[in-house]
Amino acid sequence: MDQKMPLKLPRYVFRRANGSYRYKRNVPKALREVIPKATVYRQLGESYDEAIRRLPVVHAEIEALFDQERNTPSSVRAKSLVREHLGAWHADVFAEGVVEPEWDITDDFRELAAELEGSTPADVVRQVGSARLKPEPMTLHRVLTEYCAYKCDGSVEHTDLKTRIERIRKDLVIVLGKNRVEWTPLADINRADANTFRDYLLNRMAPNSVLRTLGVIKAAMNHVIIENDLEQRNVFQGIKIKGAGASKDDRLPMSDAQLEALLPEYQSNPEPMPCLSPSQTAAPALQKSSGSRQTTSTTRLAACTSATTRSAA
C-alpha cells in the first residue's frame, strides 16, 4: 500500500482495487440530457503523489466541461445535431433559416425531433422539429466580431485595429473564460467582469495603454447596443483606471518664455533648421527640463525666426 496515502482521500478521488487512482464525478442532474451518463471518470495515476499532481488539472477539465455544456446555447446544440444526423446541406439551410413548411425536407426535421425526444433538452427538440433556430444571444464574442466587421474592411489602414480586437478577444478568454466570452448573454456580463479585465491589463500595461484598450471594447459595446436596440448599460463605460491621463512625466510643448530664451541660440546657428543638431543648440537642455516634443517646438521656433527676419528687413 502507498505509504504516503492519507486515511481520507481528497474529494472526487478514489483508489481502485489494482492500486491506481481515479477521479469520479457525478454529472449534475440538469446536464444529464446533454451528457448521456450519470458519472464521469478520469485516470489520475498509479501512485498517490502522481494523483495529487494531476488532480487540479483533471478537476479543472471537468469543471470546464460542465460549464461549457451549461452555457452552450440551445441553437448551437440544434445545429450540431442536425449536421450529425441529417448532413451538411440540411444543417446549412437550417442555420440560414430558409426551410419552408411545404418543403419535403421538413419531414426529415420532424422525424429527427421525434428520435431526440426524451434524450435531448426540450428547447433543442422544438427548434429541430420546427426547422427554425432561436436567435443566439448577444455575447462579448459577437460584440467584437460585429464591431470588427463594421470598422475593418480589410484595407491596410485597418490592420492595427483588427489585430488589437483579436488581442482583446484572446485576453478576455484568458481572464473570464471561453464560456463567459462566447456563450454567456451580454446582459449577464457585469461591472465585476469589466473590473477583472481591467486589473489583468494593468498587470502588464501602462495605465494609458489600458485606457486605450478598454476604449475599443467600450466603443464596440456602444455600437452593438445602438445597432441592436438593446436595453442595457455598457459595463465598460466610465470604468476607473488609476494612473491614466496626464502626468508629470508627459512631454509637453515649450512655453513662450522658453521659446524666447531659446530663440537667440537658434538664430545664431549657421545650419538651416532641417539640419539642426541637438549638440549645436540649447534645445536639448530645454527639452530635458520641460519634457517637450522637439518637433512641435521647432515649428514654433521657425515661425518666430521668420517673423524676426521679416521685421529686421
Side-chain angles (χ1 to χ4, degrees):
M1 185 172 179
D2 195 332
Q3 296 297 322
K4 294 184 179 181
M5 189 186 78
L7 294 176
K8 187 176 180 180
L9 292 171
R11 192 180 184 188
Y12 307 129
V13 177
F14 74 98
R15 193 167 186 261
R16 304 177 70 187
N18 64 4
S20 64
Y21 294 85
R22 213 174 189 189
Y23 181 95
K24 177 183 178 181
R25 182 80 177 272
N26 291 333
V27 175
K29 289 183 179 179
L31 297 178
R32 290 185 185 177
E33 285 186 319
V34 294
I35 301 178
K37 55 183 71 176
T39 309
V40 292
Y41 298 90
R42 294 292 186 273
Q43 188 67 21
L44 290 175
E46 299 299 322
S47 69
Y48 175 77
D49 286 345
E50 183 182 3
I52 294 303
R53 282 196 302 271
R54 282 184 45 77
L55 177 58
V57 176
V58 171
H59 181 69
E61 288 175 358
I62 298 301
E63 285 291 320
L65 170 65
F66 290 167
D67 284 344
Q68 178 176 336
E69 296 300 340
R70 193 176 288 115
N71 292 299
T72 300
S74 58
S75 57
V76 172
R77 297 190 193 283
K79 284 188 288 187
S80 177
L81 287 168
V82 169
R83 185 173 296 276
E84 178 185 346
H85 291 274
L86 300 180
W89 188 84
H90 282 71
D92 289 342
V93 295
F94 180 48
E96 292 168 8
V98 297
V99 180
E100 298 295 336
E102 62 271 14
W103 288 10
D104 292 339
I105 64 168
T106 55
D107 292 336
D108 299 336
F109 287 94
R110 293 192 187 101
E111 290 171 6
L112 176 58
E115 292 176 16
L116 298 173
E117 192 107 35
S119 62
T120 307
D123 191 35
V124 175
V125 174
R126 280 194 295 271
Q127 292 182 64
V128 173
S130 64
R132 284 287 184 273
L133 281 174
K134 185 168 70 175
E136 294 181 16
M138 181 61 67
T139 63
L140 281 173
H141 178 82
R142 281 188 62 192
V143 165
L144 294 174
T145 299
E146 292 188 12
Y147 184 66
C148 186
Y150 168 71
K151 293 289 289 185
C152 306
D153 58 8
S155 57
V156 176
E157 59 264 29
H158 293 145
T159 301
D160 287 346
L161 178 59
K162 190 173 182 180
T163 301
R164 175 172 286 188
I165 290 174
E166 190 55 37
R167 178 70 260 178
I168 290 172
R169 193 197 313 273
K170 291 179 180 177
D171 284 340
L172 282 169
V173 170
I174 291 172
V175 178
L176 304 180
K178 185 176 181 180
N179 295 328
R180 199 150 184 80
V181 173
E182 296 191 3
W183 295 307
T184 300
L186 198 60
D188 293 337
I189 302 298
N190 53 43
R191 191 53 169 256
D193 294 317
N195 287 340
T196 300
F197 185 59
R198 172 205 60 195
D199 294 342
Y200 167 79
L201 295 178
L202 283 171
N203 284 329
R204 64 182 184 85
M205 288 183 183
N208 283 333
S209 296
V210 175
L211 182 65
R212 286 190 292 271
T213 298
L214 292 180
V216 174
I217 307 180
K218 182 174 69 175
M221 290 276 287
N222 285 337
H223 168 75
V224 167
I225 289 171
I226 292 171
E227 289 296 308
N228 294 274
D229 198 23
L230 302 179
E231 294 184 0
Q232 73 171 77
R233 70 189 184 99
N234 185 343
V235 297
F236 290 93
Q237 186 79 38
I239 193 168
K240 296 182 182 298
I241 304 172
K242 186 175 181 180
S247 72
K248 64 181 180 62
D249 297 320
D250 287 345
R251 298 172 63 196
L252 304 174
M254 289 183 179
S255 66
D256 289 339
Q258 290 169 330
L259 286 174
E260 288 178 8
L262 180 60
L263 185 57
E265 295 289 341
Y266 177 81
Q267 289 175 321
S268 64
N269 193 303
E271 298 275 355
M273 188 60 221
C275 300
L276 188 64
S277 169
S279 62
Q280 294 174 315
T281 71
L286 282 173
Q287 188 175 356
K288 183 176 180 181
S289 63
S290 65
S292 66
R293 294 185 182 276
Q294 186 173 349
T295 303
T296 304
S297 302
T298 298
T299 303
R300 292 170 65 191
L301 276 172
C304 290
T305 303
S306 176
T308 303
T309 304
R310 286 198 302 271
S311 62

